[in-house]
Amino acid sequence: MQSNIRHLICASCLLFTSALHGQSEKSFDIVTIKKSNTADGGMGLARSTPDQVSIMHTALRNLIARSYSLREDLVLGGPSWLDSEEFDIQAKVLPDEHGSIPRMNRAETQARLQTMLRDRFQLKSHLETRNLSVYELTLADIDKLKPAKPGATYADGVKGPDGRTGPGLLIIENNHFTGQAITITALANILSDLLHRTVLDHTSQPGLYDISFQIPSEVTRPANAPASASESEELSLSTVLQQELGLRLKSTKGEGKVLIIDHIEEPSPN
């Protein structure tokens, strides 16, 4: 993650069902792929409508990770251009024979992206289970967690780039994290991205919470940083979580899935 960026995630989208590897043959009807213009200084960005996906200034390893519900550090292998080359991708589905515009949900979009990666980049890959370094998130002090108010609309809350607010919104801006009516599991997913290591929710704490804390500067690292957090990064974030939220991070080992890239090529012409 780069410092001072705005990152919007819908909490309800964090735990969508992963499409099984190679199972679906759903595809986009129109796909345009070109290398990003690095001179305009853009950064990774994705927007979607019910029938279209626009992906700008995105390295392919990042796109593969999104398409398979994985973090980047869990996508292994492949040539160096997977991280150094950025692409702009426009992908669209056309109206059906009745003129109705398809409305893709998150899982359907993923399935189409997987098909595009196989067709246009000749991606061949497989999943493996490995013994990985992970973190356990446990509860140290329940009184420090702030339960969300039922029915709260967050009219005065944080707002996303589109100006919208409401429950389920997570924002990272100027190294500050704000989550409105989110689960602890959703927080664990964000911590996984920050630390580049899986964080497992072992709090057994149900319900929705309003969560806000400053992310230590040591943690806001470039996306190409090492796969796991350093000791100082772990310690600084762990201290913040325990002091402000009553949550504790513990380093341990656990089994997890990784995606191994067996073969990939530069994209085929449009």
Side-chain angles (χ1 to χ4, degrees), residues 139-155:
L139 185 63
D141 186 354
I142 183 62
D143 292 332
K144 291 188 176 182
L145 280 175
K146 180 182 177 183
K149 294 180 180 179
T153 61
Y154 297 90

Side-chain angles (χ1 to χ4, degrees), residues 17 23 84 99 135 138 165 189 201 236 245 260:
T17 303
Q23 178 177 349
S84 60
Y135 293 111
T138 58
T165 187
N189 283 327
D201 176 13
S236 61
L245 303 177
I260 310 297

Side-chain angles (χ1 to χ4, degrees), residues 38-93:
T38 55
D40 64 15
M43 66 180 182
L45 178 67
R47 293 191 179 97
S48 63
T49 62
D51 64 334
Q52 183 170 313
V53 175
S54 297
I55 300 166
M56 309 296 291
H57 291 282
T58 298
L60 203 62
R61 191 181 304 277
N62 178 277
L63 179 57
I64 293 170
R66 294 188 207 182
S67 302
Y68 286 92
S69 299
L70 294 169
R71 296 193 322 278
E72 280 187 68
D73 57 292
L74 299 180
V75 178
L76 307 181
S80 60
W81 61 263
L82 287 186
D83 303 292
S84 60
E85 294 282 357
E86 293 182 347
F87 294 91
D88 296 342
I89 299 173
Q90 304 288 331
K92 183 178 178 65
V93 292

Side-chain angles (χ1 to χ4, degrees), residues 67-214:
S67 302
Y68 286 92
S69 299
L70 294 169
R71 296 193 322 278
E72 280 187 68
D73 57 292
L74 299 180
V75 178
L76 307 181
S80 60
W81 61 263
L82 287 186
D83 303 292
S84 60
E85 294 282 357
E86 293 182 347
F87 294 91
D88 296 342
I89 299 173
Q90 304 288 331
K92 183 178 178 65
V93 292
L94 297 175
D96 60 22
E97 62 273 18
H98 305 294
S100 299
I101 298 176
R103 300 183 64 86
M104 298 180 293
N105 60 29
R106 191 80 174 194
E108 289 169 345
T109 300
Q110 277 193 299
R112 286 175 167 85
L113 287 172
Q114 291 175 22
T115 301
M116 180 202 69
L117 289 166
R118 293 194 297 271
D119 291 347
R120 298 295 296 275
F121 292 87
Q122 303 305 307
L123 173 65
K124 294 185 173 119
S125 59
H126 68 279
L127 289 168
E128 287 185 5
T129 299
R130 293 191 176 181
N131 194 32
L132 305 172
S133 295
V134 300
Y135 293 111
E136 291 179 350
L137 187 67
T138 58
L139 185 63
D141 186 354
I142 183 62
D143 292 332
K144 291 188 176 182
L145 280 175
K146 180 182 177 183
K149 294 180 180 179
T153 61
Y154 297 90
D156 297 324
V158 295
K159 293 178 173 58
D162 59 0
R164 296 183 181 180
T165 187
L169 192 66
L170 296 89
I171 292 285
I172 294 176
E173 185 175 25
N174 297 327
N175 297 353
H176 189 88
F177 174 87
T178 304
Q180 298 174 166
I182 65 170
T183 64
I184 301 300
T185 300
L187 172 63
N189 283 327
I190 295 297
L191 296 175
S192 296
D193 288 336
L194 290 173
L195 293 168
H196 290 228
R197 189 191 295 186
T198 298
V199 176
L200 303 173
D201 176 13
H202 284 186
T203 64
S204 300
Q205 197 63 32
L208 301 175
Y209 298 87
D210 292 335
I211 294 175
S212 177
F213 63 92
Q214 190 71 21

